[in-house]
Amino acid sequence: MKLPLAIIGAILLAALIGPALLPWSHDAIDWGAIRAAPLSPGHLLGTDSVGRDLLARTLVGTRVTLAVAVAAALVALLIGVAWGATAGWVGGRVDEAMMRVVDALYALPFMFVVILLMVLFGRSILLVFIGIGVVEWLTMARVVRGQLMALKERPFVLAAEAAGARPFAIVARHLLPNVAGVAIAYLLLTVPQVVMIESFLSFLGLGVQEPLTSLGILVKEGADDMDVAAHALLLPGGVLVTILICLTIAGERLRDRFS
Amino acid sequence: MTAVYEVEKLVITIRGVTVARDVGFRIQQGECVALAGASGSGKSQCCLAPFGLSPGVASGSAWLLGKDLVGLEERRLRAIRGRDVGFVFQQPLTALTPHLTIGRQLSEAWQQAGAPRPTRAELAEALARVGLDRPGERLEQFPHRLSGGQRQRVMIAAAIAHRPKLLIADEPTTALDAAIRADILGLLSRLRAEEGLAMLLVSHDLAALADHADQVVVLNDGRVEESGDARTVMATPSRPYSRALIAASPRLDSPRAPLPPVGAPLIEARGIHVSFPRPGWRRGRVEAVAGADIHVAEGEALALVGGSGSGKSTLARAIARLGPIDRGDVRWRGRPLPARQAMPPAARRGIQPVFQDPVASLDPRWRVRDIIAEPLRHLRPELDGARRAARVAAALEEVGLDPALADRRPATLSGGQAQRVAIARALVSDPEMLLLDEATSALDVLVAGRVLDLLESLQRSRRLALLFITHDLAVARRLCHRIAVLDQGKIVEEGPAERLITAPAHAATRKLVAASH
Amino acid sequence: MGPLLLRRLLTALPTLAAVIILSFLLMRVAPGGPFDGERALDPATRAALMHAYGLDLPLPEQIGRYLWRLLHGDFGPSLVYRDFTVTDLVAQGLPVSLRLGGFALLLALILGIAMGLFAAARAGGRTDHALMLGATLLTALPTFVTGPVLVLLLGLWAGWLPVSGWGDGDPAHLALPVLALALPVAGAIAKLSRAGLATALGQDHVRTARARGLGPVTVLLRHALRPALVPVASYVGPAAAGLLTGAVVIETLFALPGLGRYFVQGALNRDYPLVLGVVILYAGLIILFNLIADLLYGWLDPRMRG
């Protein structure tokens, strides 16, 4: 788990401080170097079809992609834990009703909801990704509820009741700390999910808008241009896949440790 | 006469750890040899490892029909298992493949030694032989339709279907209800006589072995502690370990110490009804407890006895306000006990529970000291930190635990230690009654015996009332003044322990008594 | 078996109704409308159009009318693709999407279960670790990266396969999109079946089968595989529905005339009946596939028949 997290850390660090160290900003056009090959002077990784520095664009795109992903995953964590914990603890009809809502949302074509959210909040990327978080909390809610239901049946919860602990204290001091590990693992697994959605929407032209960029936009631009400049596809695609793989591996190992 | 199976200087290691050493025994045709010992004594390893059915690696020798199994490659062992040996395992509930019918699994075992495909009549006949009713119907059924005892009969039928020379039964009755254990052991003995089988029987219950085994080998920590004629070892064990093992499973006729005196009425429950929603989608509710009355006095111990699903835990939790209740009147020292959600700390202090599964009873993220201090925090808020710590230390000492354990987390404790921590938590707020919900049945025999000793001494030193839930009459008799027998949610018989055991009136009681002899 | 099916259908109907109503409302809350194109219409024409399509009625009445027509199998007209009904558009797109998704699902199942079986047969060994790492990599591959990269490698550079277009369903045209679509699903199935097999192989009944003298292959295939596929069955239901209808990127990337493209265009243009039609189709497919999964459970593990 250390290696994938270290790679993520390195990418994050590069995305945060890298752009400030480069002579070109991500949207500056170098008229003298259109479609420059990698390793050309001034452009370590070359330029795109309108002469923008690919390294700068990739770093900024990574930053945007990761920022929105983390924001959306945190929203998903908050809603998911609150919803799942309430359903799991209260149980009975409340649980049934709350889980029926989750089932119905699962049955909604996910694309449809996301696209509607795009239309609703299209002006602000922050809102867009809060919107994605609103869609992505379903799995978290199911997992947290399942964990809570299982824990609730454990005799230590009954023992705490016998020890005079009030329901709130039982949830806060016994149940949630025991769910935390799994919730964090699923948080790690939600981040790549959201990265994928964001890139996928940007790829379709529905997500992040120019002049801001993201890995999805870069992949799209690279794909459009791949017959003449394959590196414009492979570079952002490679960074994206690396992020997804590292987060997935780290999240899965963490999840396995808690289950 | 040569032995069917003979083990000499057997040593078994698992990942470099030696779990058995220098074990030896021989089994003649038609003879039964029993391996006995507490869990962890290496008895299962000794019977499974030579056949390649456990991760253990065997050295020494294990002669089956003149051929040494030790060092044989898996392919050869497989052929031997399919032809010469039959196995019966501990968990009948999970030992059969869930998606294959009984008939399919039986014929698979039948054909494994090269026999032609059996006819339906032959298969039904094999099931009838092991005492299964309606054998023809059973062939099409999946295992989950059968009860534990019926599944164990199917396991036995499959184990002897290919007419092996040796039958190995690894704790064949441990997971079964007490009432059917004797039937299964009887069936094994009958088949052994009819088929002239050599049998290797593994069990931790020495007493039960006496009637069914010719020879017994007592194992302790991987070594042979004592071996010899089964009846002789039972009657006059020569080693302290064997004596402890025999004493750990008390019999209905073992002597018992006089019980402490009984005081004024403490808790009285009348007309208790508890029901649960029917599982699945069907409407309606299932009655788990249907109108039960019980009462316990100061210093008195009442045993709630019954088979699994009889409603004994549900009843006890309902009156202790730790579980759901539909209706019924519960009084504590003559005053009505508040409802579950409204229990004030002062009322909670009176009854404290100890549950069956010691590890699941402790929050895995808490330290032992915080676990034991939890009742004090809520029920005795007037105590300051220092007094609380002193009481936690005293409670640890009272249950016989090293004070150094206070900083450990539950995962690092053994089952016996964890159960002692649970008892310490129950005692720390000075309750008047303990609710013991199968408190010793998940523990290993010897550990369970010592926990029972602890409970007995606490009962006397603290004048504790006990509500003792168990399926074991002999254990109930040792600690309890009275016994109440539950069957399908109703108390079918209740009375002084000795009277109930010597002269049981109800059929359910008679069945329990018969199972404990 | 019969009662179970009936029960499932009875619980599916309210879910379906909820999905329809929720989608309907969500569509209407979003700003913009079907006739707000680049070229503004004069108010009179706009009002006439709104009236013609019944969009000026109160919302509850619109929903009621829609549901009533739906009961008669009429999904309504498309608002953007004039002269086409939603049924026409779905009838054009669905076969393409079904073919694409069906092949992808088949490939994912074969590849995934095979990987899971091989890994479980070599449990703990190097093959196992390599296969499972491979499965994780596959699940982390987004189709919009694998798609172009596969086109680049196998299409443009190697020149083995055509890079885009439907080619009237020609298998060579389908190969790349199916592969890109199947890989992440195959990875997930591989992991689920491997985990299921690990659980199944550790169970008592497998020891019983070994004690009976059965060989490792028989034990794996006859005694361990079926219960191990239960988690795969519960994953495949929703995944299949997603593959059949949600291959938007792949359809865009390879210029395939499937449902996904109509769906995105419909949502962007507020083509309410078209989007709702696709949503209902999708929700219906999810329900159908979950039903099939339920039936599969009973076969995989009879204990679940209740």
Side-chain angles (χ1 to χ4, degrees):
Chain A
M1 202 164 89
K2 293 224 178 69
L3 181 65
L5 284 180
I7 296 174
I8 292 285
I11 292 177
L12 197 63
L13 198 68
L16 285 178
I17 60 170
L21 305 176
L22 290 173
W24 300 94
S25 77
H26 73 277
D27 53 354
I29 294 171
D30 182 357
W31 294 105
I34 286 175
R35 284 206 179 115
L39 299 178
S40 44
H43 301 285
L44 192 57
L45 294 171
T47 60
D48 67 6
S49 57
V50 290
R52 293 175 296 192
D53 187 65
L54 261 181
L55 180 58
R57 287 183 71 70
T58 304
L59 289 175
V60 171
T62 306
R63 185 199 282 178
V64 171
T65 293
L66 282 176
V68 292
V70 168
L74 285 176
V75 172
L77 177 78
L78 280 178
I79 305 180
V81 169
W83 193 276
T86 310
W89 173 251
V90 178
R93 280 174 205 285
V94 175
D95 170 49
E96 212 162 282
M98 289 178 85
M99 283 299 121
R100 190 46 59 82
V101 170
V102 171
D103 288 344
L105 288 177
Y106 256 118
L108 269 184
F110 155 83
M111 272 294 298
F112 167 74
V113 178
V114 172
I115 288 170
L116 271 175
L117 289 167
M118 296 305 102
V119 176
L120 274 168
F121 305 120
R123 305 281 140 69
S124 149
I125 61 160
L126 183 67
L127 284 177
V128 164
F129 296 107
I130 289 180
I132 295 182
V134 170
V135 180
E136 273 292 306
W137 61 273
L138 298 173
T139 308
M140 183 73 84
R142 276 195 175 171
V143 169
V144 169
R145 168 187 175 266
Q147 289 277 320
L148 216 72
M149 298 278 272
L151 284 170
K152 209 170 71 168
E153 296 305 314
R154 296 271 211 99
F156 75 76
V157 175
L158 222 47
E161 189 183 345
R166 294 279 156 205
F168 182 78
I170 293 178
V171 173
R173 302 203 54 205
H174 288 286
L175 297 177
L176 287 184
N178 276 295
V179 174
V182 180
I184 291 170
Y186 275 88
L187 177 69
L188 274 187
L189 287 172
T190 305
V191 175
Q193 286 294 318
V194 182
V195 167
M196 225 182 270
I197 298 164
E198 181 277 320
S199 314
F200 161 73
L201 287 172
S202 300
F203 181 95
L204 291 177
L206 298 168
V208 174
Q209 302 294 323
E210 296 282 356
L212 211 55
T213 193
S214 80
L215 289 176
I217 294 180
L218 293 172
V219 170
K220 166 72 174 159
E221 289 172 357
D224 290 343
D225 217 21
M226 67 184 168
D227 41 352
V228 284
H231 70 278
L233 166 67
L234 296 179
L235 175 67
V239 173
L240 182 65
V241 168
T242 309
I243 291 175
L244 291 172
I245 287 174
C246 290
L247 283 171
T248 308
I249 291 179
E252 282 184 353
R253 298 225 176 125
L254 199 61
R255 181 192 60 196
D256 294 346
R257 187 180 292 180
F258 284 106
S259 58
Chain B
M1 197 163 91
T2 59
V4 173
Y5 186 51
E6 180 165 8
V7 167
E8 264 178 352
K9 292 195 167 48
L10 186 68
V11 178
I12 293 162
T13 55
I14 299 181
R15 286 179 282 275
V17 181
T18 306
V19 295
R21 67 189 83 210
D22 252 357
V23 175
F25 53 84
R26 49 186 295 162
I27 314 177
Q28 315 276 4
Q29 194 185 347
E31 189 186 35
C32 175
V33 171
L35 293 182
S39 59
S41 61
K43 56 190 191 302
S44 282
Q45 289 298 330
C46 280
C47 82
L48 298 180
F51 295 93
L53 288 177
S54 88
V57 179
S59 55
S61 57
W63 301 90
L64 178 71
L65 304 169
K67 189 186 277 175
D68 192 357
L69 302 175
V70 173
L72 277 189
E73 55 191 285
E74 165 65 18
R75 199 169 46 83
R76 311 275 291 280
L77 279 178
R78 200 190 303 147
I80 290 173
R81 291 199 299 262
R83 195 179 58 231
D84 301 325
V85 198
F87 293 87
V88 178
F89 296 113
Q90 179 176 356
Q91 295 288 352
L93 294 182
T94 53
L96 291 165
T97 301
H99 60 268
L100 299 179
T101 59
I102 302 293
R104 178 99 193 269
Q105 298 191 52
L106 192 57
S107 80
E108 184 182 80
W110 194 294
Q111 289 169 276
Q112 206 46 40
R117 193 186 187 82
T119 64
R120 269 189 61 90
E122 281 173 321
L123 290 175
E125 159 64 22
L127 288 183
R129 240 188 116 194
V130 293
L132 212 60
D133 58 333
R134 292 177 286 146
E137 248 169 78
R138 306 284 180 204
L139 290 175
E140 269 78 47
Q141 285 179 332
F142 290 102
H144 69 283
R145 293 281 174 212
L146 276 58
S147 71
Q150 290 171 328
R151 285 188 232 186
Q152 198 62 302
R153 288 177 196 274
V154 172
M155 275 295 285
I156 293 170
I160 60 164
H162 55 292
R163 309 195 138 257
K165 307 288 180 299
L166 175 67
L167 183 64
I168 292 184
D170 183 7
E171 306 248 15
T173 59
T174 310
L176 299 175
D177 246 16
I180 40 182
R181 288 182 188 171
D183 294 351
I184 294 292
L185 282 177
L187 171 67
L188 286 173
S189 288
R190 200 191 82 213
L191 292 170
R192 170 165 63 96
E194 287 173 10
E195 299 267 314
L197 280 166
M199 187 159 120
L200 180 58
L201 181 64
V202 176
S203 178
H204 65 259
D205 187 354
L206 256 181
L209 295 175
D211 298 334
H212 298 281
D214 304 303
Q215 304 281 316
V216 64
V217 180
V218 180
L219 289 179
N220 176 20
D221 200 18
R223 292 170 193 277
V224 175
E225 189 80 27
E226 160 165 26
S227 68
D229 178 72
R231 283 174 194 283
T232 318
V233 172
M234 271 306 297
T236 52
S238 64
R239 310 279 298 193
Y241 180 82
S242 316
R243 279 198 287 277
L245 209 56
I246 293 167
S249 18
R251 308 270 90 194
L252 288 180
D253 48 3
S254 2
R256 73 167 181 177
L259 294 168
V262 172
L266 195 59
I267 193 165
E268 290 162 283
R270 265 175 231 293
I272 306 294
H273 286 261
V274 187
S275 64
F276 292 105
R278 222 173 257 287
W281 290 80
R282 275 166 298 171
R283 291 180 166 277
R285 300 176 75 82
V286 187
E287 281 237 295
V289 177
D293 303 344
I294 56 171
H295 59 98
V296 183
E298 285 174 357
E300 188 188 30
L302 170 69
L304 283 180
V305 185
S308 45
S310 58
K312 50 194 195 299
S313 278
T314 311
L315 170 61
R317 287 181 189 191
I319 66 167
R321 300 300 194 224
L322 284 172
I325 185 166
D326 291 357
R327 56 181 194 277
D329 178 46
V330 184
R331 285 169 184 275
W332 179 261
R333 293 192 187 284
R335 295 219 196 93
L337 204 60
R340 184 179 184 188
Q341 281 80 11
M343 282 285 274
R348 282 265 178 238
R349 256 179 71 185
I351 314 173
Q352 286 290 311
V354 178
F355 300 103
Q356 175 172 7
D357 182 346
V359 176
S361 303
L362 310 177
D363 188 329
R365 303 185 67 83
W366 286 34
R367 290 182 193 282
V368 167
R369 75 166 74 251
D370 299 319
I371 290 171
I372 298 177
E374 193 182 19
L376 291 179
R377 247 171 234 286
H378 300 293
L379 304 178
R380 303 289 300 272
E382 76 279 6
L383 297 176
D384 60 20
R387 308 245 299 274
R388 227 167 30 216
R391 278 181 161 262
V392 169
L396 275 172
E397 198 187 320
E398 193 174 0
V399 298
L401 285 177
D402 182 354
L405 290 180
D407 286 320
R408 302 259 288 266
R409 288 188 207 276
T412 64
L413 302 176
S414 71
Q417 286 172 332
Q419 198 60 309
R420 281 168 197 263
V421 170
I423 295 172
R425 170 178 58 191
L427 292 176
V428 76
S429 56
D430 292 329
E432 291 170 90
M433 180 167 130
L434 287 190
L435 163 59
L436 300 166
D437 191 349
E438 302 263 16
T440 59
S441 55
L443 302 172
D444 179 51
V445 262
L446 288 178
V447 178
R450 287 195 287 269
V451 169
L452 273 181
D453 292 343
L454 169 67
L455 290 171
E456 191 175 11
S457 82
L458 290 170
Q459 182 188 21
R460 282 153 215 278
S461 62
R462 285 185 168 246
R463 280 207 75 211
L464 272 173
L466 301 180
L467 186 52
F468 195 94
I469 300 170
T470 182
H471 58 266
D472 186 341
L473 270 182
V475 170
R477 174 179 168 272
R478 180 172 159 196
L479 290 183
C480 298
H481 301 81
R482 284 184 298 123
I483 295 179
V485 179
L486 258 98
D487 189 42
Q488 299 190 347
K490 290 199 169 69
I491 293 188
V492 293
E493 186 168 4
E494 200 244 281
E498 283 302 338
R499 201 278 294 153
L500 196 122
I501 287 166
T502 48
H506 191 272
T509 319
R510 277 200 294 274
K511 212 170 162 192
L512 284 166
V513 171
S516 306
H517 272 298
Chain C
M1 188 101 337
L4 175 96
L5 264 179
L6 196 67
R7 226 159 46 214
R8 290 286 167 185
L9 281 174
L10 283 179
T11 52
L13 282 176
T15 311
L16 194 59
V19 166
I20 294 171
I21 292 169
L22 200 65
S23 315
F24 200 94
L25 292 176
L26 268 174
M27 286 290 301
R28 294 308 166 86
V29 186
F35 310 115
D36 304 341
E38 289 105 57
R39 182 167 56 83
L41 294 166
D42 70 284
T45 316
R46 205 185 122 88
L49 273 171
M50 296 289 276
H51 183 73
Y53 287 106
L55 295 173
D56 52 348
L57 297 168
L59 266 186
E61 199 180 330
Q62 287 188 40
I63 294 182
R65 283 177 164 223
Y66 183 75
L67 289 176
W68 180 248
R69 282 197 308 209
L70 203 59
L71 281 177
H72 296 81
D74 179 6
F75 284 85
S78 164
L79 302 184
V80 173
Y81 300 92
R82 310 277 164 84
D83 306 326
F84 285 98
T85 65
V86 171
T87 315
D88 294 335
L89 293 175
V90 166
Q92 281 177 22
L94 191 61
V96 174
S97 291
L98 279 182
R99 196 133 163 194
L100 180 64
F103 280 123
L105 183 65
L106 199 66
L107 179 64
L109 276 172
I110 293 171
L111 194 64
I113 294 177
M115 281 173 77
L117 269 174
F118 274 109
R122 299 265 175 280
R126 219 173 265 175
T127 320
D128 182 17
H129 289 299
L131 278 171
M132 283 305 104
L133 187 65
T136 303
L137 298 191
L138 287 184
T139 55
L141 287 181
T143 50
F144 59 88
V145 175
T146 39
V149 169
L150 282 173
V151 168
L152 190 65
L153 295 180
L154 302 178
L156 292 175
W157 289 355
W160 291 340
L161 292 164
V163 294
S164 83
W166 176 231
D168 285 324
D170 163 40
H173 277 86
L174 270 176
L176 285 178
V178 164
L179 192 60
L181 205 52
L183 287 180
V185 182
I189 291 177
K191 280 205 254 188
L192 287 170
S193 50
R194 168 72 182 89
L197 280 167
T199 312
L201 286 174
Q203 274 169 356
D204 289 342
H205 72 258
V206 165
R207 184 176 61 176
T208 308
R210 292 190 55 228
R212 212 168 271 165
L214 300 177
V217 176
T218 317
V219 169
L220 197 63
L221 295 182
R222 193 188 293 164
H223 290 268
L225 184 59
R226 248 155 75 178
L229 289 182
V230 170
V232 176
S234 56
Y235 167 79
V236 161
L243 278 180
L244 295 185
T245 57
V248 183
V249 170
I250 291 296
E251 287 175 11
T252 313
L253 199 68
F254 290 93
L256 302 176
L259 269 186
R261 290 207 306 167
Y262 286 126
F263 179 67
V264 176
Q265 285 309 311
L268 289 176
N269 297 324
R270 306 292 187 283
D271 192 341
Y272 305 132
L274 177 56
V275 170
L276 277 174
V278 178
V279 167
I280 291 166
L281 191 70
Y282 183 93
L285 281 173
I286 289 194
I287 289 166
L288 178 71
F289 281 110
N290 282 335
L291 209 73
I292 295 174
D294 275 337
L295 293 179
L296 269 178
Y297 289 147
W299 179 72
L300 292 173
D301 187 343
R303 284 172 294 187
M304 300 176 82
R305 284 179 205 166

